[in-house]
């Protein structure tokens, strides 16, 4: 039966009955990276330097060197990224279970709320309201928050740094706790530069989308885009980080499989 399912899936992809939606931002030197206040060490933005381009250094080939932090652009947060997940044996980019790189996605659309309130916080109440309409979030699913934040193409507006820290939407601590403890999700994904709200340094616990998710061996996805092209339920995400030895995360290409019709 599984064999037949896989053959049908392959056929549906080839025939475009199942569409592949790219949820990935372009990786380039202008890609915004998270800004930390001193004394914390900053991350490197994306850098690229030419090795050769059909020239004396390589007459028939073109290639570049690139460098960046593990958490640059559209990227994966592995559980060891946070101190709460530091001892998980299967919590680094090279040790996480690859079976979990493919999982269904639930998309909670709070874009209208975020347009009105840059510091909008997703609550358990709001998640339950979503479930009333779309059904219970299944165990092992990605939960993605559609904020339309990726449409902020100006890096300054995307980071939205103010005197009291970033004004960026995200989940409150209770929402994260609910997704971890009551729904046993695969992970939590957002369109913003990091998985936590801009003001999450003041939450209890601080940075709950990191502290609680990673402590429970759950993943994170940040700087996603095109969430407005996904249905609330039914999409399947393919999100596999680079197999960096002991890595805390990595830039990656996030793809969503979406059925074109109900048949
Ligand atoms: Mn990250």
């Amino acid at each position: 039966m599984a064999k037949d399912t896989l053959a049908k899936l392959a056929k549906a992809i080839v025939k475009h009955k199942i569409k592949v939606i790219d949820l990935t931002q372009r990786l380039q030197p202008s890609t915004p990276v998270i800004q930390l206040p001193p004394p914390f060490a900053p991350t490197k933005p994306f850098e690229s330097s030419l090795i050769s381009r059909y020239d004396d250094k390589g007459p028939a080939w073109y290639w570049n060197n690139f460098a960046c932090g593990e958490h640059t652009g559209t990227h994966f947060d592995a559980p060891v990224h946070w101190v709460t997940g530091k001892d998980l044996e299967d919590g680094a980019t090279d040790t996480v279970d690859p079976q979990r790189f493919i999982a269904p996605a639930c998309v909670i659309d709070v874009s209208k709320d975020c347009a009105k309130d840059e510091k909008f916080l997703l609550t358990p109440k709001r998640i339950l309201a979503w479930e009333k309409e779309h059904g219970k979030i299944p165990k092992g699913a990605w939960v993605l928050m559609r904020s339309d934040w990726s449409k902020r193409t100006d890096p300054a507006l995307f980071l939205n740094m103010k005197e009291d820290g970033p004004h960026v939407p995200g989940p409150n601590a209770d929402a994260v706790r609910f997704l971890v403890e009551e729904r046993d999700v695969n992970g939590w994904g957002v369109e913003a530069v990091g998985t936590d709200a801009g003001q999450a340094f003041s939450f209890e616990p601080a940075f709950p989308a990191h502290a609680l998710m990673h402590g429970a061996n759950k993943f994170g996805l940040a700087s996603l885009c095109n969430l407005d092209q996904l249905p609330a339920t039914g999409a399947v995400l393919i999100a596999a980080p680079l197999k960096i030895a002991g890595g805390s995360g990595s830039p990656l290409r996030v793809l969503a499989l979406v059925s074109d019709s109900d048949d």
Side-chain angles (χ1 to χ4, degrees):
M1 186 201 159
K3 223 175 180 178
D4 185 45
T5 305
L6 198 53
K8 278 184 183 163
L9 172 68
K11 198 171 171 186
I13 292 169
V14 170
K15 289 188 153 186
H16 292 212
K17 294 280 182 195
I18 288 174
K19 291 184 293 177
V20 178
I21 311 286
D22 191 354
L23 308 185
T24 318
Q25 298 274 12
R26 185 169 280 113
L27 200 50
Q28 52 199 352
S30 61
T31 297
V33 293
I34 205 153
Q35 308 288 315
L36 301 181
F40 306 120
T43 180
K44 214 180 212 185
F46 182 81
E47 294 169 359
S48 179
S49 60
L50 185 68
I51 304 172
S52 72
R53 190 166 194 159
Y54 332 120
D55 51 25
D56 292 347
K57 292 177 180 171
W61 53 92
Y62 163 56
W63 53 345
N64 302 301
N65 286 313
F66 74 84
C68 65
E70 290 174 331
H71 299 254
T72 305
T74 302
H75 72 271
F76 183 93
D77 285 0
V80 299
H81 178 42
W82 218 249
V83 65
T84 49
K86 72 183 175 62
D87 295 325
L88 291 164
E89 280 178 12
D90 54 351
T93 43
D94 59 332
T95 58
V96 291
D97 178 4
Q99 195 81 20
R100 293 178 59 198
F101 295 153
I102 303 179
C106 296
V107 183
I108 301 179
D109 180 4
V110 293
S111 56
K112 288 197 178 97
D113 307 83
C114 297
K116 276 183 253 163
D117 177 9
E118 294 180 327
K119 294 196 282 184
F120 172 80
L121 297 179
L122 183 73
T123 60
K125 193 178 163 196
R126 187 60 186 272
I127 297 171
L128 288 168
W130 180 93
E131 285 191 329
K132 209 167 177 191
E133 199 177 340
H134 301 289
K136 189 175 169 180
I137 295 165
K139 178 179 153 95
W142 280 104
V143 175
L144 310 179
M145 188 176 94
R146 178 187 159 195
S147 61
D148 282 354
W149 210 255
S150 58
K151 294 176 184 175
R152 293 179 169 230
T153 50
D154 176 347
L157 285 175
F158 182 76
L159 296 172
N160 212 30
M161 191 62 82
K162 310 281 182 186
E163 266 184 23
D164 61 346
H167 287 196
V168 175
N172 75 6
D174 286 340
V176 179
R177 197 173 285 113
F178 176 82
L179 293 174
V180 169
E181 294 176 4
E182 307 294 327
R183 293 296 178 265
D184 198 10
V185 297
N186 193 43
W188 163 254
V190 301
E191 295 180 51
V193 75
T195 53
D196 262 302
Q199 299 286 309
F201 57 84
S202 65
F203 293 1
E204 185 51 51
F207 305 107
H210 289 84
L212 302 178
M213 279 283 163
H214 299 329
N217 204 359
K218 312 295 187 195
F219 307 147
L221 286 173
S223 295
L224 296 168
C225 62
N226 295 330
L227 296 188
D228 57 349
Q229 294 181 39
L230 300 187
T233 65
V236 173
L237 241 62
I238 302 173
L242 298 177
K243 202 168 182 173
I244 299 168
S248 74
S250 97
L252 80 172
R253 194 82 180 237
V254 181
L255 304 176
L257 303 184
V258 175
S259 179
D260 203 18
S261 58
D262 290 332
D263 56 35

